[in-house]
Amino acid sequence: MPQTKEAWSSRLGVILAVSGSAVGLGNFLRFPGLAAQYGGGAFMIAYFTSLLVIGIPIGWAEWTMGRSGGVRGYHSAPGIFHVVMQHPAGKYLGMFGFIIPVMVYMYYVYVEAWCLGYAYLAVTGQLAAGANFGGIFAAYTGIAQDGSAVHFGLASVGPWLVLCYAINFYFIYRGVSRGIEQVCKWGMPLLIVIALIILGRVLTLGTPDPLKPDQNVLNGLGFMWNPKDLWADLQNAELWLAASGQIFFTLTVGFGAICCYASYLKKKDDVVLSALTASAANEFCEVGLGGLITVPAAYVFLGAAGLVGMGTFGLGFNVLPSVFAQMPYGNFFAVSFFLLLFLAAFTSSLSMLQPGVAFMEEGLGLDRRSALALLGVVTAFGSLFCWWFSKDLKALDTIDFWIGTMMIYLQGFILIIVFAWSKGMGIERGWREAHDGAAMRIPVVFKFIMQWVSPVYLGVVLLMFVLSSVFGWNFSFTAPHFAPTGRITDLIGDAHSNVARLAVAFIIIGVGFTTLLVHLAGKRWTAHPPERHS
Ligand code: PFF
């Protein structure tokens, strides 16, 4: 069996790598969009509650399980769950930790390519004042018609997508410390410097148009952060669902990526403080940088009306370019912003590939080259699918919903249950293992949180999410009403979308095929367990 002797070269390296995975498009686009949509202050209360109750505790659980599996020679979620649980079901419970990163990669890398491509458009002056930003956005993303984004000129996404594939696979090929760690060691500080420069510019914009005195930076910050009707907003269950979903997405917990990264730690390497540091770095980038740049800048130039109804992508690739075009030295800031987005996305997409490669190596016995080749073919197929079926971004959106939102809740739920309740681990052992070599102790209240509060909170969130986002529940217990949402009508009935159907069929085939692979991997692991590391 090919042995992976990969390891992080330093403690800072692994923290930067996990932070690199966490800090991504979610921080600079998804978060500000959601916070503004749900009324700023109220959203933040739900957001920080979720951070404390599920984000940080499940993060500790995932780091601990990852290191535990790694020491015993396993580096992918199916393998880690298999050895940690010591039960035949373990590998199947871990398989979503392979499917999620691989499938999210397929569309995430596509958006990563937009970022690079937009930086190029800005460099060549195509995003200057007077440009038709809505038209560029539509042509670039192919949002109006299937197939319309598939071009290979430098002003379209094609070459950038190829380039993104090449660099992602190249650095994964170089390995954990020579590839991922190196990229994050340079990329993360650079990302923060760029973000600080842009932030400095945004916060000093003042009132750029004296004829519109209301559109100033303070009001922009107020628009983003001031609670509106706090009490009423807090009773909106959807806000709580959005906030917990964002916590998962942004911290990368429950995806199988962190347990893969943590599996390259040594037995006595700290996990408690490292996990906390990586989460803190992510929150700094999300709340402190992402939250202060995107929405206030747009507000100052366009007012609240310019922001309404803009989805995450509209905000980033349609509204913001027009905002930069109105700033002095706008081109410089546009290039910087899209490079920032690209760097954030790149360090995240690496963490989606590594779990895939790790499983193919240890589960199927492939060498690194073959594993990468296979993963390249599978993910390229998915990316082509999203690229071609671009109308309304239907393919991307469907996979993002079922995998990037729903399945994450499910895997996060499974993970905390396995950590706190399984025979092989359980809270007592998990708590002890987490503190092995730890640089700080976890406050003891978290033992209770991990065992009871996180699973219950997450279970409720998962259930409510399915009931509302899929079955269209009106959140009423007294007069419940259900009206199937677009997620269902996309699939069945007269108004169905063939693209959504194909996307879901693709997901089902992916899950089926993975089940088979995991079954084969299980046989292999029983017959020849990998060597332990120390
Ligand atoms: N945490 C990333 C973000 O905020 O953009 C997204 C992400 C990273 C998703 C890694 C999945 C993953 F495996």
Side-chain angles (χ1 to χ4, degrees):
M1 167 155 210
Q3 279 295 312
T4 21
K5 291 273 183 334
E6 297 253 32
W8 301 106
S9 69
S10 69
R11 175 145 166 227
L12 181 65
V14 61
I15 293 175
L16 284 176
V18 174
S19 314
S21 165
V23 176
L25 298 168
N27 299 53
F28 295 98
L29 296 181
R30 200 172 187 265
F31 169 76
L34 285 177
Q37 181 187 340
Y38 286 103
F43 181 80
M44 292 317 291
I45 292 180
Y47 177 87
F48 282 120
T49 308
S50 305
L51 176 67
L52 278 180
V53 173
I54 47 177
I56 291 180
I58 300 182
W60 276 325
E62 190 165 354
W63 274 75
T64 307
M65 280 179 48
R67 184 186 59 180
S68 182
V71 169
R72 292 184 254 179
Y74 293 87
H75 301 281
S76 67
I80 292 168
F81 279 54
H82 161 79
V83 70
V84 164
M85 278 183 70
Q86 299 285 330
H87 187 280
K91 53 188 179 295
Y92 299 107
L93 292 177
M95 81 179 185
F96 303 106
F98 165 77
I99 299 173
I100 297 172
V102 169
M103 284 207 149
V104 171
Y105 177 83
M106 297 173 184
Y107 65 86
Y108 201 89
V109 69
Y110 176 51
V111 181
E112 184 175 321
W114 294 356
C115 302
L116 207 49
Y118 261 65
Y120 170 80
L121 292 183
V123 166
T124 52
Q126 296 174 65
L127 296 180
N132 170 6
F133 296 101
I136 295 175
F137 176 65
Y140 213 91
T141 57
I143 205 161
Q145 201 188 338
D146 285 339
S148 64
V150 182
H151 291 288
F152 283 92
L154 283 179
S156 57
V157 70
W160 308 105
L161 185 57
V162 174
L163 184 61
C164 283
Y165 257 85
I167 52 179
N168 271 289
F169 277 80
Y170 172 72
F171 283 103
I172 291 296
Y173 178 69
R174 283 182 58 105
V176 166
S177 68
R178 285 182 350 122
I180 302 172
E181 192 171 338
Q182 284 303 323
V183 170
C184 294
K185 255 189 179 153
W186 291 97
M188 288 308 287
L190 182 61
L191 175 159
I192 291 182
V193 170
I194 300 179
L196 285 173
I197 295 174
I198 303 178
L199 180 64
R201 171 69 283 198
V202 171
L203 293 184
T204 53
L205 279 172
T207 312
D209 185 349
L211 296 177
K212 295 183 185 150
D214 282 350
Q215 291 184 20
N216 58 49
V217 172
L218 282 183
N219 282 351
L221 291 171
F223 174 77
M224 169 94 189
W225 296 105
N226 288 344
K228 312 280 169 329
D229 187 350
L230 185 62
W231 186 234
D233 284 347
L234 277 181
Q235 293 177 36
N236 175 2
E238 230 179 277
L239 172 147
W240 288 84
L241 297 184
S244 22
Q246 176 62 14
I247 281 295
F248 266 100
F249 192 83
T250 187
L251 289 175
T252 315
V253 293
F255 283 54
I258 290 187
C259 65
C260 169
Y261 273 14
S263 74
Y264 301 105
L265 291 169
K266 300 194 189 71
K267 191 170 183 332
K268 291 286 174 193
D269 281 346
D270 159 82
V271 294
V272 176
L273 186 59
S274 305
L276 204 55
T277 312
S279 305
N282 180 66
E283 290 316 304
F284 169 70
C285 291
E286 177 141 305
V287 182
L289 301 174
L292 299 184
I293 293 177
T294 322
V295 169
Y299 183 91
V300 164
F301 288 99
L302 307 170
L307 279 158
V308 172
M310 276 295 163
T312 307
F313 294 132
L315 182 65
F317 297 93
N318 186 354
V319 175
L320 282 181
S322 79
V323 166
F324 290 123
Q326 298 179 47
M327 282 182 196
Y329 304 107
N331 227 19
F332 169 77
F333 289 105
V335 176
S336 308
F337 180 74
F338 288 111
L339 280 181
L340 162 74
L341 285 188
F342 165 71
L343 271 177
F346 177 36
T347 51
S348 296
S349 57
L350 289 174
S351 73
M352 301 169 198
L353 288 179
Q354 184 62 30
V357 173
F359 175 68
M360 290 184 177
E361 285 179 344
E362 71 192 18
L364 311 180
L366 298 180
D367 60 24
R368 172 93 49 92
R369 254 172 221 269
S370 326
L372 279 171
L374 188 57
L375 196 61
V377 172
V378 173
T379 54
F381 182 74
S383 296
L384 281 173
F385 181 75
C386 295
W387 188 14
W388 179 268
F389 291 111
S390 56
K391 185 162 186 289
D392 301 327
L393 301 179
K394 194 55 141 189
L396 187 162
D397 178 63
T398 308
I399 303 180
D400 180 46
F401 176 80
W402 292 106
I403 303 283
T405 314
M406 178 92 105
M407 211 183 259
I408 301 179
Y409 284 130
L410 182 66
Q411 179 73 20
F413 183 65
I414 293 177
L415 190 127
I416 192 70
I417 296 281
V418 168
F419 179 82
W421 292 98
S422 74
K423 264 221 183 96
M425 184 59 97
I427 189 72
E428 292 305 330
R429 177 168 180 180
W431 189 258
R432 233 180 308 121
E433 282 205 9
H435 286 95
D436 255 354
M440 65 171 272
R441 288 202 69 78
I442 307 178
V444 72
V445 57
F446 275 99
K447 201 169 175 181
F448 177 75
I449 295 186
M450 285 166 136
Q451 194 176 8
W452 295 102
V453 186
S454 312
V456 171
Y457 185 93
L458 192 50
V460 171
V461 164
L462 177 60
L463 189 70
M464 301 241 298
F465 181 76
V466 174
L467 287 177
S468 64
S469 300
V470 180
F471 297 106
W473 176 41
N474 61 350
F475 292 109
S476 164
F477 293 102
T478 43
H481 177 256
F482 293 88
T485 64
R487 299 299 167 192
I488 298 273
T489 53
D490 264 357
L491 303 179
I492 45 184
D494 292 343
H496 71 261
S497 145
N498 283 332
V499 174
R501 282 184 171 182
L502 266 177
V504 169
F506 182 50
I507 291 171
I508 293 173
I509 293 171
V511 172
F513 191 59
T514 307
T515 312
L516 181 69
L517 293 184
V518 166
H519 173 74
L520 296 177
K523 290 200 154 157
R524 195 183 165 80
W525 292 330
T526 314
H528 318 276
E531 271 170 42
R532 292 175 69 93
H533 307 303
S534 56

